[in-house]
Amino acid sequence: MTLFGLEITLDLILYTGAFGLIVIGAAGIVLAHHLFRVILALAIAEAGANLLLVLSGYRWDAIAPILSGSESAAPMVDPVPQAMVLTAIVIGVGVQALAVGLAMQVKKTYGTLDMSAIRQRLEADIAGTAGIATTGSQDAPLGERPLPPADAVPVTPGSSAR
Amino acid sequence: MNQIVLIVVLPLLAAFLVPIVARMSASLGAALGPLVMGVCLWITGTVAIESAGNAFAINIGGFMPPLGITFFVDRLALLFAFLTALLVLVLWPFQGEHRPREHALTLILAAASGGLALSGDLFNIYVFYELVSVASFGLVATGRRSSAPAIRYLILSGFGSVLALVGIALVYTQTGTLNLAHLSQLAPTHLINPIGLAAFALILLGVGVKAELFPVNTWVPEVYATAPNRVSALLAGLVSKLAALVILRLLVLVFAQEQALLVMLLLGLLGVITGELAAWRAQDMNRMLAYSSIGQLGMVFVAFSIPGETGVFAGLAIALHHLVVKPALFLLAARWGGALSGLAGAAGGNLPAALLFTLFALSLVGVPPLPGFWAKLLLVMGLAEQVGPLYHFALAGILIATVVEANYLFRIVSTLFHRDSPASPAPQKHSGGDIATAGLFGASLIAAVLLLIPLSQSLKTIAQQTADAAAYRAVVTLAPTTSTLGDTQ
Amino acid sequence: MRNLASLLFAGGLGFLLMVFGLQFDFGNAPMLVGQAIQSAAPEQVGAANIVTAVVLGYRGIDTLGELAILFAASTAVGLILGHRHTSTKPDPDSGLILRAGGELLMPLLLVVGLYIILHGHLTPGGGFQGGVILAAAFFIPVLARPSTPLKHTGMMLIEGFSGAAFILIGLAALYSGGEFLQPLLDKGTLGNLVSAGTLPLLYLAVGLKVGAELAGLLAHLAAAEVSES
């Protein structure tokens, strides 16, 4: 099958899929405003990398790498990338679970999951801790160190003072 | 000598068991971690004595190298394994309430750092690197307001891991192997090409996140400003050096091409300039230290981009110097974390801390005869020897950065000793433990001045051994079937 | 501006990767190591599933690292969210159908999970896949009855001791004169349930650890959600 003069083959589809997922993930990480979407974009990019990894061991003429009875002489696909992908997927699960846990904590601390709002409040927070006046930090008390107890009341974005 | 694997395995075992032991007996649980790190220190020491500086490889699971995973143990690996155990022990969270989970994460960080120092397999390095990442996200998030920096760090680091994984996939597609010695053997025919360069750039960006490399270091100021200072000290002192060590190994063994060196030189130089300028503008202690850390790591990368043994020697010297100085500075910043202007006259109430800070600042700038001076001298001399405009441009950049560094550090020192302090309240006193630990780092800095010649000689031997890719290949014996297959490719 | 630059970066990355991707010789992997492992695995490890032989034999320490990553993630989530005790009332229990369904599913899922774990060296599957099913078996009843949360102590014991078991099997090989994680015991007949030496034991440890880790993670996240609402 050809499309726009380009022959569509299985490997073209697969590589486009893998690289496309990585690019979609990269774009999502930088463009998404909602923290949870950023975490999802990270998961998408990871899926692309895993697909690329498992493609690196494929052979046209081969079967799954499991020995069964007599036909063990048949060529098999490379088992090493499959083992690596298994590892990479589990690593991805661990990182994503931790990301979701952190996101819940962020929601508790800042009352929002909007990336730019978090970034602004973070800047103000650091500057406030250090006792420096910065432009655009109306809600950070100056002077002393505003370290509330860990179980402080969550600050909603609407409130202007703690 | 195959008990060296214990420095990875024992901390993991202890980490798995710490929550259970702490449930049974709190004091036993609190003692388990430091005890295990002490045992690791002892194991590394005995292996170092036993091996007498000769490199050797151990095959995990008893499988011949390209099939199984190899741990490659040379002077450099042992040095960093030793420093890992030592630094984790020195910076152990003894103070404060005892939290078994925090101990478990610290132990995992130690195990993974040891693994990074020893591993001789590309994908195994990736696994240990991710283990370091996850443990450090958890430790960073223990700070009171560090959940937002931790998640931004996690996302950047996670994307870096994706890039590194793509790089590993490219390497595997080209060569069909992951063992560093085997890759080093196949590299001249399979990886010295644009695909190899792309794979290096992707892995460099991925691992560079932890090594505070130029475009992927945006997490550094936020995390170091909000994380507990002992965690910042571990990340800046230890983890960044191990990531740089991984990049050095890959550069020497697998991606030894000129363009790869130039990419690193450029990124390192940009790191030096942006880091030092940002540190000059910083208004609080923690962020100043964070930006200065970016600048120092940039210098390490500039040094590693000098081909051959000279570059490795200079880079290791700067890295080790930074490894001693920066954790100590972060400990001192624990109570001086506020605005720099608020530190006026702080020396009056706390002379030892101010004197220690001055010592570290002088060494960081590179005032002779402190070790920082010799490290920078090696770098400058190495750069001057190279031909090519970019190297000389880097030389100028390093010298200008040093002037900037001197300006902001001396500004702080003079603030500390400024007598007629304004009405602002004096900063809190440091805890005894912090001062004692920082004093320990200061003492080792002074000891390094006294033992400069033997130290530099042994460092030179380490650099020689590290820069010799042929020796690395000679130590790792590959299974016969795969090496013949490699020839027929 | 920042968005534009980032998009350019993403597009450039994609283009670069595509250019390289089209040069690959897809479907003809070099398989230097893969070939060698395929010919050596039946004799050296004795597992019919060669992926398992790689995961637990040739690259066993990767698997240990991966278990440690799950443990670290679960520990970190516990550290971040764990100290908030549930002060508000949890969600009410769901209706009869969900509760009964949860109770019926649990033993079935346990059996399927254990089957997949124990046959990991023979058929596709193994400790990770089976472990996820075990985690689901323990977590579905929690979803049906939010008022009876998982017992953290039990989970902690399972995750600690199964991880320790994996390491201790590896250390047993080290102290019987071999290397860490060297295969022990008799290899048996290729394809039998009792074969491949210590591999099934290792996979059992992996499965239990993965199950306990994931169930613990989900329980932590669920508890934090409850305390937030």
Side-chain angles (χ1 to χ4, degrees):
Chain A
M1 192 175 89
T2 56
L3 198 66
F4 305 120
L6 190 66
E7 198 188 349
I8 306 295
T9 53
L10 179 64
D11 52 332
L12 185 71
I13 295 171
L14 286 171
Y15 280 122
T16 315
F19 295 134
L21 284 175
I22 295 170
V23 171
I24 290 170
I29 288 171
V30 289
L31 291 183
H33 285 291
H34 195 270
L35 182 53
F36 198 74
R37 291 190 186 186
V38 176
I39 296 172
L40 285 181
L42 187 62
I44 291 173
E46 263 167 21
N50 290 342
L51 180 54
L52 189 67
L53 197 57
V54 85
L55 288 183
S56 69
Y58 185 74
R59 287 177 75 93
W60 290 114
D61 55 348
I63 57 166
I66 293 174
L67 298 170
S68 50
S70 55
E71 85 250 57
S72 64
M76 293 185 282
V77 297
D78 197 340
V80 178
Q82 305 206 352
M84 288 197 289
V85 164
L86 184 57
T87 309
I89 289 172
V90 176
I91 290 173
V93 168
V95 172
Q96 282 152 28
L98 182 52
V100 172
L102 278 171
M104 293 173 84
Q105 186 67 10
V106 166
K107 172 85 176 169
K108 260 174 211 148
T109 324
Y110 294 99
T112 173
L113 282 175
D114 184 75
M115 282 304 268
S116 47
I118 291 170
R119 203 180 133 89
Q120 250 173 19
R121 292 195 52 88
L122 180 64
E123 289 286 317
D125 226 21
I126 295 175
T129 314
I132 308 158
T134 52
T135 50
S137 66
Q138 305 90 349
D139 49 358
L142 303 176
E144 82 274 276
R145 302 168 180 206
L147 279 180
D151 50 351
V153 195
V155 183
T156 51
S159 69
S160 59
R162 228 171 300 252
Chain B
M1 285 187 282
N2 52 11
Q3 72 264 31
I4 190 72
V5 73
L6 291 180
I7 69 158
V8 179
V9 173
L10 281 187
L12 281 185
L13 183 63
F16 291 160
L17 292 178
V18 154
I20 298 174
V21 174
R23 182 65 67 92
M24 292 190 301
S25 146
S27 54
L28 198 62
L32 184 62
L35 203 69
V36 166
M37 292 324 296
V39 171
C40 288
L41 211 55
W42 181 72
I43 291 172
T44 321
T46 48
V47 170
I49 292 166
E50 233 178 288
S51 67
N54 297 318
F56 62 97
I58 49 172
N59 307 329
I60 308 290
F63 302 105
M64 288 292 277
L67 278 69
I69 290 173
T70 310
F71 275 8
F72 182 81
V73 193
D74 62 352
R75 287 167 192 260
L76 183 68
L78 283 174
L79 174 70
F80 273 91
F82 191 79
L83 288 174
T84 299
L86 193 64
L87 219 55
V88 169
L89 203 55
V90 168
L91 297 173
W92 190 262
F94 286 114
Q95 296 156 327
E97 54 171 333
H98 164 54
R99 287 187 290 189
R101 289 193 172 114
E102 195 179 341
H103 285 198
L105 286 179
T106 314
L107 282 167
I108 286 178
L109 187 74
S113 304
L116 276 183
L118 294 176
S119 182
D121 184 282
L122 193 54
F123 193 74
N124 192 234
I125 287 176
Y126 170 80
V127 171
F128 281 128
Y129 179 75
E130 284 293 285
L131 190 49
V132 166
S133 302
V134 173
S136 58
F137 303 148
L139 285 173
V140 165
T142 54
R144 268 186 176 169
R145 15 195 64 228
S146 51
S147 56
I151 189 128
R152 283 163 57 85
Y153 177 30
L154 184 147
I155 286 160
L156 185 65
S157 184
F159 189 64
S161 302
V162 169
L163 293 185
L165 203 56
V166 172
I168 292 172
L170 291 186
V171 170
Y172 194 81
T173 313
Q174 287 294 297
T175 60
T177 186
L178 294 162
N179 186 280
L180 288 190
H182 198 193
L183 280 174
S184 167
Q185 188 189 328
L186 296 175
T189 49
H190 290 70
L191 285 174
I192 307 297
N193 55 26
I195 295 185
L197 188 64
F200 174 72
L202 289 168
I203 296 177
L204 182 68
L205 281 181
V207 181
V209 176
K210 289 278 170 310
E212 305 172 13
L213 190 68
F214 165 62
V216 283
N217 53 17
T218 51
W219 60 274
V220 173
E222 303 167 6
V223 165
Y224 291 177
T226 50
N229 278 51
R230 278 170 189 263
V231 176
S232 300
L234 264 184
L235 288 182
L238 186 65
V239 174
S240 62
K241 305 303 174 307
L242 284 161
L245 170 87
V246 166
I247 292 171
L248 173 66
R249 284 259 199 242
L250 293 179
L251 197 65
V252 167
L253 293 171
V254 185
F255 302 104
Q257 49 182 323
E258 205 180 321
Q259 290 93 328
L261 292 178
L262 287 183
V263 170
M264 244 174 74
L265 178 65
L266 206 62
L267 293 181
L269 187 61
L270 284 170
V272 172
I273 293 170
T274 53
E276 298 296 0
L277 286 179
W280 185 69
R281 285 190 52 206
Q283 291 178 315
D284 63 297
M285 182 74 107
N286 273 325
R287 275 194 286 184
M288 189 275 285
L289 292 179
Y291 285 122
S292 138
S293 176
I294 291 176
Q296 293 282 323
L297 263 297
M299 276 185 213
V300 173
F301 281 111
V302 170
F304 284 162
S305 70
I306 302 171
E309 184 198 320
T310 336
V312 179
F313 187 22
L316 283 180
I318 297 171
L320 289 176
H321 171 253
H322 188 236
L323 187 144
V324 172
V325 168
K326 201 43 65 77
L329 283 173
F330 270 114
L331 287 179
L332 291 178
R335 289 288 188 279
W336 287 350
L340 291 175
S341 52
L343 292 177
N350 204 341
L351 198 57
L355 287 178
L356 277 171
F357 185 91
T358 313
L359 174 72
F360 294 128
L362 287 177
S363 191
L364 211 51
V365 173
V367 175
L370 291 169
F373 166 72
W374 302 106
K376 260 189 193 162
L377 187 67
L378 282 175
L379 172 61
V380 167
M381 280 178 4
L383 282 173
E385 273 172 20
Q386 296 297 314
V387 282
L390 204 52
Y391 281 107
H392 294 152
F393 188 64
L395 180 58
I398 299 275
L399 291 177
I400 293 170
T402 304
V403 174
V404 175
E405 206 174 20
N407 182 297
Y408 69 79
L409 283 171
F410 290 157
R411 196 176 63 205
I412 298 172
V413 170
S414 72
T415 320
L416 281 178
F417 287 95
H418 194 63
R419 280 289 168 190
D420 47 302
S421 56
S424 68
Q428 282 174 285
K429 282 207 110 178
H430 290 72
S431 73
D434 282 352
I435 284 286
T437 318
L440 209 63
F441 283 111
S444 58
L445 203 64
I446 293 191
V449 177
L450 299 177
L451 299 171
L452 195 66
I453 292 168
L455 265 183
S456 71
Q457 261 160 8
S458 53
L459 200 58
K460 203 170 169 59
T461 333
I462 292 175
Q464 265 167 359
Q465 200 184 32
T466 311
D468 192 351
Y472 190 109
R473 289 194 293 269
V475 167
V476 181
T477 32
L478 298 174
T481 49
T482 47
S483 55
T484 51
L485 260 174
D487 293 339
T488 58
Q489 271 288 308
Chain C
M1 190 58 217
R2 185 172 150 266
N3 287 352
L4 193 69
S6 312
L7 270 186
L8 276 178
F9 168 74
L13 181 74
F15 178 73
L16 191 78
L17 290 175
M18 211 59 224
V19 167
F20 288 128
L22 291 176
Q23 291 180 15
F24 294 154
D25 193 7
F26 177 74
N28 297 302
M31 280 190 71
L32 286 191
V33 174
Q35 202 91 59
I37 283 181
Q38 274 170 21
S39 47
E43 180 196 338
Q44 285 184 338
V45 183
N49 183 349
I50 295 184
V51 177
T52 300
V54 176
V55 167
L56 288 181
Y58 295 102
R59 309 192 69 86
I61 198 147
D62 274 359
T63 305
L64 178 59
E66 153 186 24
L67 286 182
I69 287 175
L70 272 185
F71 176 77
S74 146
T75 310
V77 169
L79 192 62
I80 299 163
L81 301 173
H83 56 90
R84 281 157 208 281
H85 289 292
T86 345
S87 51
T88 44
K89 265 182 63 176
D91 293 344
D93 285 1
S94 28
L96 175 69
I97 295 179
L98 274 182
R99 273 182 288 141
E103 276 155 22
L104 276 176
L105 269 177
M106 184 177 175
L108 287 177
L109 284 173
L110 279 182
V111 170
V112 173
L114 281 173
Y115 175 87
I116 288 181
I117 292 172
L118 290 177
H119 286 74
H121 58 299
L122 304 176
T123 55
F128 291 101
Q129 297 86 334
V132 173
I133 297 176
L134 287 190
F138 284 106
F139 194 62
I140 283 176
V142 179
L143 285 181
R145 296 172 187 268
S147 57
T148 46
L150 277 177
K151 288 198 173 52
H152 277 296
T153 321
M155 288 293 150
M156 190 182 78
L157 287 178
I158 295 177
E159 74 179 53
F161 284 125
S162 54
F166 189 100
I167 293 181
L168 289 176
I169 292 173
L171 286 179
L174 182 69
Y175 283 105
S176 59
E179 298 281 354
F180 180 69
L181 279 176
Q182 192 155 358
L184 292 177
L185 304 181
D186 190 28
K187 302 278 184 306
T189 325
L190 187 77
N192 279 11
L193 184 58
V194 182
S195 67
T198 37
L199 243 61
L201 294 178
L202 287 177
Y203 243 171
L204 187 61
V206 169
L208 290 177
K209 184 151 177 81
V210 169
E213 257 9 311
L214 288 180
L217 261 173
L218 290 172
H220 272 306
L221 291 177
E225 192 187 38
V226 165
S227 68
E228 191 185 3
S229 59

